[in-house]
Amino acid sequence: MSLETLTVISTSCIVASGVSLLVGWYLIRWRRDQLAHRNAMLTATAFAALFLVFYVTRAMIFGSKPFAGTGDWRLVYIAILVPHVILAIAVGPMAIRLIQLALWRRDFPAHRRLAKVTLPIWLFVAASGWVIYYLLYVKTF
């Protein structure tokens, strides 16, 4: 696979993860459909895991791409990249804990409390991942 193909696939996976999160939130918040919510959230988790596989594969084969922008664009890129990386590292264990609370312990009050923190973080990671992709691979400097 080419660098471009792996990049598009990995970015598509994280965007699909974010969309699945929003669908899952809608299904539980407005429809109270626990089964559909569970399926949407597990889909979000699967897309996030696929993102990680494709991202690591791309990094191992091609390395990382340096940011081409300068000046204010470089500051914008770093201001997005730093919280993206930190929160992406944090969201994995949070998601695993959410799954554990809901599926195995069936502790829905604890699941809801953690989900209120995890959802915006995960959505930020998904959205900022798309912005990072745009700044690295689409925007010309």
Side-chain angles (χ1 to χ4, degrees), residues 16-110:
S17 176
V19 170
S20 297
L21 285 172
L22 289 172
V23 168
W25 174 79
Y26 169 81
L27 289 167
I28 199 65
R29 177 84 167 111
W30 301 107
R31 294 262 180 108
R32 304 284 186 227
D33 187 339
Q34 289 181 348
L35 179 61
H37 166 75
R38 183 195 72 192
N39 291 340
M41 294 314 210
L42 290 175
T43 299
T45 304
F47 275 122
L50 283 171
F51 160 79
L52 186 59
V53 168
F54 284 109
Y55 177 82
V56 170
T57 301
R58 185 187 75 211
M60 289 177 59
I61 295 170
F62 298 104
S64 60
K65 179 174 174 143
F67 182 66
T70 59
D72 289 342
W73 279 111
R74 185 164 197 76
L75 292 174
V76 167
Y77 175 74
I78 290 171
I80 295 168
L81 181 66
V82 169
H84 171 81
V85 170
I86 292 167
L87 294 173
I89 291 167
V91 83
M94 294 169 85
I96 291 168
R97 180 68 175 151
L98 283 169
I99 292 168
Q100 179 190 41
L101 287 169
L103 295 183
W104 295 304
R105 295 187 65 199
R106 304 196 61 79
D107 184 350
F108 297 112

